[in-house]
């Protein structure tokens, strides 16, 4: 597998399609892929992280043919002005061999970088320089939130071009500046055309994915003079209506106070006609969801959740939370799987499993779906507790309390851990468990403890376990009993 193929696979499996080295869950996913390929995950991760933070030859030479973004020119100017350059490992460096360094930067840059010398005679190469904001930091592996905004806005522009400029499905040749400019009156987004062009150049995998998604949307919905929204005032009005409905504290809805916007509706972009503009949305959630479904039925409002589409894959579409489809329990509990060495466990259900573990070393406990339904979707600690509360079952303890308890070797929690371990993982005497406990890391203790607490609630509530399981599945796929209609393109 080549590096490009590895990054494509990582992108495709990630929740949003653009993994980040700042995301513990994305790092965990990459490790899983590398382990499946029998590759040295620690070495590869270290190299990727270094590539993301230092000014390597490839990073330095990006946009060298574009005067407005040429990083070599930026570095030369800083050297000419005696500006301190930040080092990857901390500190700064002021270059004194200006003439030689600038000449080398204007020539063929070696893989190891151009040699730089300071007034004390210390020598480094440009590859030891830190990739700071002016050299593109925040738009690479660690710039997920920035890329999200731009990627979704790019899809809006692509739709506007298809529906209003070329009046057909688009090709790569249609994503050009002239068409972007003409399409600008048909979009309401929070990214500029310059940002979109830079993103598509920097993330070539998204070129094809964007085209496939846009063409699937164009194929599904007739042209009704849509405006394409991302992060706009009209989108904010919809989500404000959802938030207001939560504040009404209806008896059962109150259990979902902590549910995030994207679990109610995870749409990344919205297609809207004038009928929806400034619509007076209901503050009652049931009515609000009905309004959204009615507008969807009339093709006046389409919420779209986007995910990267693989190079050799076709765009697939799925409708979520259609009121015409009963949301009954379709998954059945089939047991669990775990070992004495693992730091979590798997809940088995018909057609897949739910992994329960820490996604951030000792905290960030969550469930993650493995299976055709909601693949990669997560229902975190708070979401699980909301579901348990709705089903009148005791909630899981707080992660922070468990961390403190095991750091301080609290006897009550230790005894409960031993009971759960002996019951669900392996029959073990107290002395052997104490030996295993003492030699294990905090992450093993907290991850297993939380998973076993959740398993105990499933095992001890046979009449409710399928309801809990299906609630978790719905939550992970943003299809809870309180969610609204949208389509997912992947």
């Amino acid at each position: 597998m080549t590096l490009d193929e590895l990054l494509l696979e990582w992108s495709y499996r990630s929740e949003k399609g653009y993994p980040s080295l700042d995301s513990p869950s994305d790092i965990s996913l990459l490790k899983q892929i590398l382990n499946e390929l029998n590759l040295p995950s620690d070495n590869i991760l270290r190299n990727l992280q270094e590539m993301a933070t230092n000014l390597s030859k490839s990073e330095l030479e990006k946009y060298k043919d574009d005067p407005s973004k040429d990083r070599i020119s930026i570095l030369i100017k800083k050297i000419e002005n005696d500006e301190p350059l930040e080092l990857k490992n901390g500190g700064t460096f002021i270059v004194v061999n200006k003439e030689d360094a600038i000449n080398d930067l204007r020539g063929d840059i070696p893989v190891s970088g151009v040699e730089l010398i300071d007034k004390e005679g210390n020598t480094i190469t440009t590859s030891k320089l830190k990739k700071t904001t002016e050299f593109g930091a925040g738009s690479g592996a660690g710039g997920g939130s920035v890329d999200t905004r731009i990627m979704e806005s790019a899809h809006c522009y692509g739709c506007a071009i298809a529906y209003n400029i070329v009046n057909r499905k688009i090709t790569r040749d249609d994503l050009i500046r002239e068409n972007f400019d003409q399409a600008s009156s048909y979009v309401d987004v929070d990214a500029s055309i310059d940002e979109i062009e830079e993103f598509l150049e920097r993330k070539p995998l998204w070129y094809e994915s964007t085209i496939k998604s846009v063409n699937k949307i164009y194929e599904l919905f007739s042209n009704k003079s849509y405006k394409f929204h991302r992060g706009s005032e009209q989108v904010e009005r919809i989500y404000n209506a959802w938030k207001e409905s939560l504040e009404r504290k209806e008896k059962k809805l109150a259990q979902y106070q902590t549910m995030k916007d994207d679990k109610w509706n995870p749409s990344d972009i919205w297609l809207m006609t004038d009928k929806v503009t400034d619509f007076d949305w209901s503050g009652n959630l049931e009515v609000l969801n009905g309004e959204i479904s009615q507008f969807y039925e009339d093709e006046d409002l389409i919420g779209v959740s986007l995910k990267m589409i693989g190079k050799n894959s076709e765009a697939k579409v799925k409708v979520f939370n259609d009121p015409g489809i009963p949301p009954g329990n379709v998954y059945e509990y089939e047991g669990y799987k775990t070992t004495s060495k693992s730091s979590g466990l798997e809940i088995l259900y018909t057609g897949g499993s739910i992994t329960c573990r820490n996604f951030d070393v000792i905290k960030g406990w969550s469930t993650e779906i493995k299976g055709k339904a909601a693949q990669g979707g997560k229902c975190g600690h708070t979401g699980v507790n909301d579901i348990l509360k709705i089903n009148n079952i005791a909630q899981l303890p707080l992660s922070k309390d468990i961390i403190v308890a095991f750091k301080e070797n609290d006897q009550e929690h230790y005894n409960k851990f031993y009971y759960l371990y002996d019951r669900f993982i392996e029959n073990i005497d107290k002395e052997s468990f104490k030996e295993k406990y003492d030699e294990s890391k905090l992450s093993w203790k907290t991850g297993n403890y939380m998973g076993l607490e959740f398993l105990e609630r499933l095992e001890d509530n046979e009449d409710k376990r399928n309801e809990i399981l299906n609630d978790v599945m719905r939550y992970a796929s943003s299809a809870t009993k309180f969610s609204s209609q949208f389509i997912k393109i992947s």
Side-chain angles (χ1 to χ4, degrees):
M1 177 178 278
T2 66
L3 178 59
D4 283 345
E5 290 171 334
L6 173 63
L7 293 175
L8 177 59
E9 179 66 18
W10 188 25
S11 298
Y12 184 69
R13 291 201 205 178
S14 67
E15 192 168 354
K16 292 301 294 180
Y18 33 85
S20 168
L21 287 169
D22 290 338
S23 166
S25 60
D26 285 343
I27 290 295
S28 176
L29 180 61
L30 178 57
K31 284 184 177 180
Q32 178 185 328
I33 296 170
L34 294 172
N35 289 333
E36 289 172 4
L37 298 171
N38 293 318
L39 294 173
S41 58
D42 289 341
N43 290 342
I44 292 174
L45 276 170
R46 186 164 52 250
N47 289 337
L48 283 173
Q49 286 164 337
E50 287 182 1
M51 288 167 60
T53 57
N54 71 329
L55 204 55
S56 62
K57 171 182 167 69
S58 60
E59 287 292 338
L60 192 55
E61 289 184 334
K62 275 187 180 179
Y63 318 119
K64 65 180 182 180
D65 296 323
D66 184 344
S68 66
K69 295 184 284 187
D70 179 19
R71 295 175 180 177
I72 295 174
S73 297
I74 294 171
L75 179 56
I76 287 175
K77 186 174 181 180
K78 289 175 75 70
I79 291 173
E80 288 176 334
N81 294 335
D82 294 324
E83 294 182 38
L85 306 173
E86 290 189 46
L87 299 174
K88 183 183 68 174
N89 296 325
T92 57
F93 196 95
I94 297 177
V95 178
V96 295
N97 63 326
K98 295 183 183 181
E99 186 175 347
D100 290 341
I102 290 171
N103 286 336
D104 290 342
L105 284 168
R106 287 172 173 159
D108 186 14
I109 298 175
V111 174
S112 59
V114 168
E115 183 179 80
L116 306 175
I117 303 173
D118 68 8
K119 64 181 180 180
E120 280 82 29
N122 298 313
T123 301
I124 63 167
T125 64
T126 48
S127 63
K128 301 297 181 183
L129 298 177
K130 181 179 179 180
K131 182 183 171 186
T132 54
T133 305
E134 58 218 311
F135 297 114
S139 58
S145 60
V146 175
D147 282 353
T148 301
R149 173 177 60 83
I150 302 171
M151 177 277 292
E152 293 166 2
S153 297
H155 281 76
C156 288
Y157 268 95
C159 286
I161 290 170
Y163 278 88
N164 300 290
I165 308 305
V166 299
N167 297 306
R168 56 168 169 75
K169 292 183 176 181
I170 62 171
T171 67
R172 191 184 182 101
D173 292 337
D174 295 317
L175 298 179
I176 58 175
R177 185 63 182 233
E178 180 183 354
N179 287 342
F180 283 138
D181 287 337
Q182 291 184 51
S184 60
S185 61
Y186 302 101
V187 301
D188 191 345
V189 299
D190 51 357
S192 68
I193 295 174
D194 286 340
E195 287 178 309
I196 291 169
E197 287 185 318
E198 189 273 340
F199 171 81
L200 292 175
E201 183 179 351
R202 175 166 50 82
K203 300 277 189 177
L205 295 176
W206 274 105
Y207 247 121
E208 292 303 320
S209 183
T210 301
I211 291 167
K212 290 176 181 178
S213 295
V214 166
N215 288 341
K216 177 57 71 173
I217 292 170
Y218 187 82
E219 176 186 309
L220 291 171
F221 303 104
S222 59
N223 188 348
K224 296 188 67 175
S225 301
Y226 289 123
K227 193 160 191 171
F228 305 92
H229 293 255
R230 193 278 173 196
S232 68
E233 180 184 345
Q234 295 302 320
V235 172
E236 188 176 348
R237 284 173 55 84
I238 295 173
Y239 284 97
N240 282 342
W242 143 252
K243 291 169 184 174
E244 279 186 26
S245 68
L246 278 180
E247 291 167 4
R248 296 185 184 279
K249 302 185 184 298
E250 296 177 10
K251 184 177 180 182
K252 207 164 189 181
L253 184 59
Q255 314 299 340
Y256 267 95
Q257 288 294 316
T258 55
M259 195 166 84
K260 294 182 179 179
D261 291 354
D262 63 354
K263 293 303 180 185
W264 172 68
N265 192 308
S267 296
D268 299 309
I269 65 173
W270 295 79
L271 285 62
M272 298 186 194
T273 67
D274 288 342
K275 289 184 180 179
V276 181
T277 303
D278 294 328
F279 183 77
D280 185 16
W281 298 103
S282 173
N284 177 280
L285 185 61
E286 186 175 355
V287 176
L288 171 63
N289 288 347
E291 291 169 340
I292 289 175
S293 291
Q294 187 59 57
F295 277 130
Y296 177 91
E297 185 69 23
D298 295 338
E299 295 191 1
D300 286 311
L301 177 70
I302 313 295
V304 184
S305 173
L306 302 165
K307 187 169 183 178
M308 176 178 276
I309 301 169
K311 185 176 181 181
N312 299 316
S313 302
E314 296 299 320
K316 296 177 292 184
V317 63
K318 183 176 180 180
V319 180
F320 287 81
N321 308 319
D322 186 335
I325 301 175
N329 295 340
V330 295
Y331 305 105
E332 293 186 2
Y333 177 78
E334 293 189 339
Y336 66 94
K337 182 171 66 176
T338 187
T339 69
S340 59
K341 294 181 180 179
S342 65
S343 296
L345 58 86
E346 286 188 65
I347 306 294
L348 306 179
Y349 66 87
T350 48
S353 64
I354 302 174
T355 300
C356 305
R357 63 180 177 87
N358 288 334
F359 283 80
D360 186 12
V361 187
I362 59 173
K363 56 183 180 179
W365 185 86
S366 181
T367 63
E368 182 176 40
I369 310 304
K370 291 184 178 180
K372 291 183 179 179
Q375 170 69 33
K378 293 184 177 66
C379 180
H381 187 172
T382 302
V384 170
N385 271 345
D386 284 339
I387 289 165
L388 292 173
K389 190 172 182 180
I390 284 174
N391 287 281
N392 297 312
I393 294 173
Q395 294 176 284
L396 300 177
L398 298 177
S399 290
K400 63 179 182 178
D401 293 338
I402 297 305
I403 292 170
V404 171
F406 286 117
K407 278 184 176 180
E408 297 178 352
N409 295 314
D410 176 76
Q411 191 63 43
E412 182 180 349
H413 285 86
Y414 174 85
N415 291 340
K416 180 65 181 292
F417 191 15
Y418 169 67
Y419 162 75
L420 293 171
Y421 188 93
D422 181 63
R423 177 183 174 185
F424 295 119
I425 297 182
E426 62 174 344
N427 291 325
I428 188 171
D429 59 68
K430 291 184 177 181
E431 290 74 18
S432 298
F433 180 75
K434 180 70 164 60
E435 182 179 341
K436 183 170 186 62
Y437 178 90
D438 289 341
E439 68 184 16
S440 297
K441 295 180 179 179
L442 182 60
S443 58
W444 179 86
K445 298 171 187 175
T446 59
N448 269 308
Y449 185 85
M450 292 296 293
L452 292 170
E453 283 272 13
F454 182 45
L455 177 60
E456 181 185 38
R457 285 154 175 76
L458 293 176
E459 287 282 327
D460 291 350
N461 293 277
E462 186 175 355
D463 59 328
K464 296 181 178 179
R465 62 171 61 142
N466 286 337
E467 181 70 18
I468 295 168
L469 182 68
N470 281 270
D471 280 346
V472 168
M473 295 292 289
R474 285 189 283 263
Y475 191 101
S477 60
S478 300
T480 73
K481 298 163 186 172
F482 304 126
S483 300
S484 58
Q485 193 164 0
F486 67 95
I487 66 167
K488 181 177 182 179
I489 296 182
S490 61

